[in-house]
Amino acid sequence: MIAKVRKAVIPAAGFGTRFLPISKAVPKEMLPVVDKPVIQYVVEEAVASGITDILLIISRGKRSIEEHFIANPELETDLEAKGRHETLAELRHLQSLARIHYVFQPKMGGLGDAVRCAREHVGDEPFAVLLGDALVSPTDGAKPVLRQLLDVHERHGGSTVALEEVPAEKVSRYGILGGAEVEPGVFKADKFVEKPSVAEAPSRLAVSARYILSPSIFAQLDQTPTGKGGELQLTDAMAALMQREALYGVRYQGRRHDIGNKLDFVKANLWWGLQREDMRDELKRYLAGLLEQ
Ligand code: G1P
C-alpha cells in the first residue's frame, strides 16, 4: 500500500541574494505577483493538489510570511464595518487554506539542509516539497502540477520529481535526471546529477521545483557529504537513495514562471496580469502602446 501524501514542505529561509536590494527587508517569498505574494500561489497549488498540512521552513526576517497567513481580527472588523465583504471573504479563505506550521532553519546550508529541518514534523510518511522560486500553472484542463506528481506517486511509490526539458546551455543550472520512459512522460531514473556540465548531463530533463519524497531521505541526508557550492544538495541524497528506492520523473503539463530572478519575475507579473479578466484588456492596450514607442 502506498501511503497518501498529506504534508508539504516549503523551504523559505534563503536570503534571496539574487533579489537584493528588495529582499533585504522583504522576504522574496512575499514579493507580489499581481496582488498575492508568491508564497500564497505555492500554498494554493499544494492545497488544490490535496495537501492539508504545510510546513514552512523560515529564518530570521521572515516573520511577515507568518503575518500573511494568520487572522487579523482588527482588520476583519474594519472590513466588515466598511461593507468590504468580498475582500473579507478572500482573507478568510486565505486563513482557512491549510494547517500551516513553521520551523526555523538555523543556518543556510542548502536545499538538503532545509529539507532536513522538516524531519520531526514529517515523521515517517512520504511528503511533498515545493520550492517557492517557481510558480507552475497547469496547461488548460490539466491538474495542478503537484497533483500530476501525486498521481504518479500513487501508482509507483518511491520518490517523484517534476521535469521540464531545458536547452543544453541551461543544464548546469538544474538537477538533471537520466532514465527510461516507463509511461508517456514518466521516467524511471538511473542517474540524477546536480548542476552538471553539458558533457556530464545524462539528459536535458531538469528538475523543476516540485518533489514527492520518501521519508528515507532524512537518514540519507545524514550520510550525504556537502556537494556543489559547499551545500548539502538534496539531489545528491536522492541520487544515493535511488539505489534502494525508485525515483521517477514526471514531465508535467504546465508552464513554469521563474520568479527567482528579476527579469523572469517581471515577466511572471505580466503573464499573471494578462490572465486576469479585470486587467487583461487594459494591460494589453498599455503594452501595445509601449511597444509602439
Ligand atoms: C534547486 C535544486 C536543483 C533544481 C532547482 C530548480 O537549485 O538544487 O536540482 O533543479 O532548484 O527546481 P537552486 O535553483 O536552488 O540552485
Side-chain angles (χ1 to χ4, degrees):
M1 247 280 281
I2 294 164
K4 196 169 155 41
V5 177
R6 303 177 300 128
K7 295 179 181 174
V9 173
I10 305 179
F15 292 128
T17 39
R18 283 187 292 174
F19 247 116
L20 285 167
I22 180 68
S23 53
K24 182 164 180 283
V26 179
K28 71 173 197 287
E29 296 77 11
M30 287 302 291
L31 293 179
V33 173
V34 187
D35 58 358
K36 291 193 279 191
V38 165
I39 190 105
Q40 186 177 337
Y41 289 87
V42 180
V43 167
E44 284 173 346
E45 180 192 339
V47 171
S49 302
I51 297 292
T52 50
D53 180 293
I54 293 177
L55 179 70
L56 295 173
I57 316 259
I58 58 169
S59 57
R60 229 176 129 252
K62 302 270 185 168
R63 290 277 175 188
S64 58
I65 300 180
E66 283 181 84
E67 292 288 336
H68 184 67
F69 289 104
I70 55 169
N72 181 339
E74 252 177 272
L75 174 61
E76 287 180 25
T77 311
D78 185 66
L79 289 172
E80 190 120 51
K82 289 179 176 146
R84 303 269 308 271
H85 301 297
E86 218 172 290
T87 314
L88 185 59
E90 230 176 279
L91 286 191
R92 289 199 169 136
H93 164 74
L94 170 65
Q95 289 143 25
S96 64
L97 277 175
R99 282 189 304 278
I100 302 187
H101 311 267
Y102 302 86
V103 68
F104 270 79
Q105 184 178 1
K107 63 173 180 47
M108 298 308 109
L111 181 56
D113 183 54
V115 168
R116 213 147 56 144
C117 298
R119 187 181 209 145
E120 299 267 296
H121 184 86
V122 165
D124 195 24
E125 52 184 292
F127 62 104
V129 173
L130 299 97
L131 307 188
D133 56 4
L135 301 182
V136 277
S137 46
T139 317
D140 279 346
K143 294 178 182 175
V145 173
L146 186 67
R147 187 65 247 168
Q148 295 177 33
L149 258 63
L150 288 165
D151 286 348
V152 171
H153 182 262
E154 281 167 15
R155 288 201 297 279
H156 295 286
S159 295
T160 316
V161 292
L163 294 177
E164 184 189 310
E165 204 156 321
V166 296
E169 68 273 15
K170 289 194 177 164
V171 293
S172 62
R173 298 188 195 172
Y174 298 96
I176 302 289
L177 182 143
E181 194 165 7
V182 291
E183 284 175 25
V186 179
F187 297 81
K188 186 167 186 202
D190 55 23
K191 288 203 179 66
F192 194 22
V193 196
E194 179 68 5
K195 304 195 172 87
S197 63
V198 181
E200 290 163 331
S203 74
R204 293 207 272 117
L205 294 171
V207 173
S208 195
R210 303 290 182 268
Y211 305 73
I212 311 293
L213 296 175
S214 144
S216 320
I217 198 68
F218 295 117
Q220 193 65 56
L221 280 164
D222 287 346
Q223 294 165 27
T224 304
T226 50
K228 285 256 154 75
E231 295 187 334
L232 181 54
Q233 296 294 347
L234 181 60
T235 301
D236 294 345
M238 292 179 74
L241 184 59
M242 186 177 81
Q243 309 306 323
R244 288 178 284 123
E245 287 183 18
L247 166 64
Y248 294 89
V250 181
R251 197 160 44 198
Y252 63 89
Q253 294 176 285
R255 185 189 176 106
R256 183 158 73 110
H257 311 268
D258 247 314
I259 35 121
N261 71 75
K262 296 172 190 181
L263 177 62
D264 285 329
F265 174 76
V266 174
K267 288 184 193 168
N269 263 290
L270 290 176
W271 190 87
W272 289 92
L274 287 168
Q275 304 309 303
R276 295 260 304 235
E277 265 177 40
D278 58 339
M279 292 183 185
R280 185 181 301 134
D281 294 344
E282 174 57 28
L283 188 54
K284 272 189 182 167
R285 268 196 294 277
Y286 174 71
L287 290 171
L290 278 186
L291 293 173
E292 266 170 30
Q293 282 170 21

PDB file of all heavy atoms in Angstrom, residues 270 274 283-293:
ATOM      1  N   LEU A 270       3.568  40.105 -15.649  1.00  0.00           N
ATOM      2  CA  LEU A 270       2.813  40.429 -16.872  1.00  0.00           C
ATOM      3  C   LEU A 270       1.919  39.248 -17.252  1.00  0.00           C
ATOM      4  O   LEU A 270       0.746  39.426 -17.578  1.00  0.00           O
ATOM      5  CB  LEU A 270       3.778  40.750 -18.024  1.00  0.00           C
ATOM      6  CG  LEU A 270       4.540  42.067 -17.865  1.00  0.00           C
ATOM      7  CD1 LEU A 270       5.547  42.239 -18.998  1.00  0.00           C
ATOM      8  CD2 LEU A 270       3.561  43.251 -17.855  1.00  0.00           C
ATOM      9  N   LEU A 274      -2.108  39.291 -17.368  1.00  0.00           N
ATOM     10  CA  LEU A 274      -2.866  39.032 -18.599  1.00  0.00           C
ATOM     11  C   LEU A 274      -3.894  37.913 -18.428  1.00  0.00           C
ATOM     12  O   LEU A 274      -4.814  37.773 -19.221  1.00  0.00           O
ATOM     13  CB  LEU A 274      -1.906  38.696 -19.757  1.00  0.00           C
ATOM     14  CG  LEU A 274      -1.119  39.898 -20.307  1.00  0.00           C
ATOM     15  CD1 LEU A 274       0.006  39.431 -21.239  1.00  0.00           C
ATOM     16  CD2 LEU A 274      -2.030  40.886 -21.028  1.00  0.00           C
ATOM     17  N   LEU A 283      -4.283  46.114 -19.838  1.00  0.00           N
ATOM     18  CA  LEU A 283      -2.856  45.777 -19.831  1.00  0.00           C
ATOM     19  C   LEU A 283      -2.355  45.540 -21.257  1.00  0.00           C
ATOM     20  O   LEU A 283      -1.261  45.986 -21.633  1.00  0.00           O
ATOM     21  CB  LEU A 283      -2.633  44.543 -18.954  1.00  0.00           C
ATOM     22  CG  LEU A 283      -1.193  44.133 -18.654  1.00  0.00           C
ATOM     23  CD1 LEU A 283      -0.375  45.274 -18.073  1.00  0.00           C
ATOM     24  CD2 LEU A 283      -1.175  42.951 -17.667  1.00  0.00           C
ATOM     25  N   LYS A 284      -3.172  44.866 -22.069  1.00  0.00           N
ATOM     26  CA  LYS A 284      -2.787  44.622 -23.471  1.00  0.00           C
ATOM     27  C   LYS A 284      -2.615  45.944 -24.207  1.00  0.00           C
ATOM     28  O   LYS A 284      -1.647  46.141 -24.942  1.00  0.00           O
ATOM     29  CB  LYS A 284      -3.870  43.807 -24.177  1.00  0.00           C
ATOM     30  CG  LYS A 284      -3.691  42.324 -24.048  1.00  0.00           C
ATOM     31  CD  LYS A 284      -4.693  41.647 -24.968  1.00  0.00           C
ATOM     32  CE  LYS A 284      -4.588  40.143 -24.847  1.00  0.00           C
ATOM     33  NZ  LYS A 284      -5.715  39.471 -25.474  1.00  0.00           N
ATOM     34  N   ARG A 285      -3.585  46.849 -23.992  1.00  0.00           N
ATOM     35  CA  ARG A 285      -3.508  48.169 -24.665  1.00  0.00           C
ATOM     36  C   ARG A 285      -2.231  48.890 -24.242  1.00  0.00           C
ATOM     37  O   ARG A 285      -1.512  49.453 -25.055  1.00  0.00           O
ATOM     38  CB  ARG A 285      -4.724  49.030 -24.292  1.00  0.00           C
ATOM     39  CG  ARG A 285      -5.883  48.890 -25.259  1.00  0.00           C
ATOM     40  CD  ARG A 285      -6.881  50.021 -25.075  1.00  0.00           C
ATOM     41  NE  ARG A 285      -7.534  49.967 -23.771  1.00  0.00           N
ATOM     42  CZ  ARG A 285      -8.590  49.195 -23.504  1.00  0.00           C
ATOM     43  NH1 ARG A 285      -9.112  48.426 -24.448  1.00  0.00           N
ATOM     44  NH2 ARG A 285      -9.132  49.176 -22.315  1.00  0.00           N
ATOM     45  N   TYR A 286      -1.969  48.837 -22.945  1.00  0.00           N
ATOM     46  CA  TYR A 286      -0.790  49.525 -22.404  1.00  0.00           C
ATOM     47  C   TYR A 286       0.492  48.962 -23.005  1.00  0.00           C
ATOM     48  O   TYR A 286       1.376  49.706 -23.456  1.00  0.00           O
ATOM     49  CB  TYR A 286      -0.781  49.369 -20.879  1.00  0.00           C
ATOM     50  CG  TYR A 286       0.455  49.898 -20.210  1.00  0.00           C
ATOM     51  CD1 TYR A 286       0.686  51.273 -20.128  1.00  0.00           C
ATOM     52  CD2 TYR A 286       1.400  49.030 -19.673  1.00  0.00           C
ATOM     53  CE1 TYR A 286       1.844  51.753 -19.530  1.00  0.00           C
ATOM     54  CE2 TYR A 286       2.545  49.501 -19.081  1.00  0.00           C
ATOM     55  CZ  TYR A 286       2.764  50.861 -19.016  1.00  0.00           C
ATOM     56  OH  TYR A 286       3.907  51.335 -18.431  1.00  0.00           O
ATOM     57  N   LEU A 287       0.589  47.638 -23.056  1.00  0.00           N
ATOM     58  CA  LEU A 287       1.803  47.006 -23.589  1.00  0.00           C
ATOM     59  C   LEU A 287       1.962  47.306 -25.073  1.00  0.00           C
ATOM     60  O   LEU A 287       3.065  47.619 -25.539  1.00  0.00           O
ATOM     61  CB  LEU A 287       1.760  45.498 -23.371  1.00  0.00           C
ATOM     62  CG  LEU A 287       1.910  45.036 -21.923  1.00  0.00           C
ATOM     63  CD1 LEU A 287       1.642  43.537 -21.801  1.00  0.00           C
ATOM     64  CD2 LEU A 287       3.304  45.357 -21.404  1.00  0.00           C
ATOM     65  N   ALA A 288       0.864  47.239 -25.814  1.00  0.00           N
ATOM     66  CA  ALA A 288       0.918  47.525 -27.254  1.00  0.00           C
ATOM     67  C   ALA A 288       1.404  48.960 -27.452  1.00  0.00           C
ATOM     68  O   ALA A 288       2.265  49.223 -28.295  1.00  0.00           O
ATOM     69  CB  ALA A 288      -0.444  47.311 -27.887  1.00  0.00           C
ATOM     70  N   GLY A 289       0.903  49.867 -26.626  1.00  0.00           N
ATOM     71  CA  GLY A 289       1.305  51.284 -26.721  1.00  0.00           C
ATOM     72  C   GLY A 289       2.792  51.424 -26.436  1.00  0.00           C
ATOM     73  O   GLY A 289       3.503  52.142 -27.146  1.00  0.00           O
ATOM     74  N   LEU A 290       3.266  50.748 -25.409  1.00  0.00           N
ATOM     75  CA  LEU A 290       4.693  50.840 -25.053  1.00  0.00           C
ATOM     76  C   LEU A 290       5.567  50.341 -26.196  1.00  0.00           C
ATOM     77  O   LEU A 290       6.591  50.924 -26.507  1.00  0.00           O
ATOM     78  CB  LEU A 290       4.980  49.956 -23.845  1.00  0.00           C
ATOM     79  CG  LEU A 290       4.688  50.456 -22.455  1.00  0.00           C
ATOM     80  CD1 LEU A 290       5.199  49.445 -21.426  1.00  0.00           C
ATOM     81  CD2 LEU A 290       5.361  51.806 -22.205  1.00  0.00           C
ATOM     82  N   LEU A 291       5.136  49.249 -26.808  1.00  0.00           N
ATOM     83  CA  LEU A 291       5.939  48.624 -27.858  1.00  0.00           C
ATOM     84  C   LEU A 291       5.995  49.487 -29.116  1.00  0.00           C
ATOM     85  O   LEU A 291       6.927  49.388 -29.896  1.00  0.00           O
ATOM     86  CB  LEU A 291       5.426  47.235 -28.179  1.00  0.00           C
ATOM     87  CG  LEU A 291       5.623  46.235 -27.032  1.00  0.00           C
ATOM     88  CD1 LEU A 291       4.932  44.911 -27.337  1.00  0.00           C
ATOM     89  CD2 LEU A 291       7.097  46.005 -26.748  1.00  0.00           C
ATOM     90  N   GLU A 292       4.965  50.318 -29.297  1.00  0.00           N
ATOM     91  CA  GLU A 292       4.959  51.194 -30.478  1.00  0.00           C
ATOM     92  C   GLU A 292       5.960  52.336 -30.340  1.00  0.00           C
ATOM     93  O   GLU A 292       6.423  52.879 -31.316  1.00  0.00           O
ATOM     94  CB  GLU A 292       3.568  51.805 -30.657  1.00  0.00           C
ATOM     95  CG  GLU A 292       2.715  50.989 -31.605  1.00  0.00           C
ATOM     96  CD  GLU A 292       1.268  51.455 -31.586  1.00  0.00           C
ATOM     97  OE1 GLU A 292       1.046  52.663 -31.326  1.00  0.00           O
ATOM     98  OE2 GLU A 292       0.392  50.608 -31.801  1.00  0.00           O
ATOM     99  N   GLN A 293       6.278  52.702 -29.114  1.00  0.00           N
ATOM    100  CA  GLN A 293       7.147  53.879 -28.901  1.00  0.00           C
ATOM    101  C   GLN A 293       8.581  53.657 -29.385  1.00  0.00           C
ATOM    102  O   GLN A 293       9.105  52.575 -29.243  1.00  0.00           O
ATOM    103  CB  GLN A 293       7.196  54.209 -27.409  1.00  0.00           C
ATOM    104  CG  GLN A 293       5.953  54.927 -26.948  1.00  0.00           C
ATOM    105  CD  GLN A 293       5.890  55.052 -25.429  1.00  0.00           C
ATOM    106  OE1 GLN A 293       6.901  54.966 -24.750  1.00  0.00           O
ATOM    107  NE2 GLN A 293       4.702  55.250 -24.908  1.00  0.00           N
TER     108      GLN A 293
END
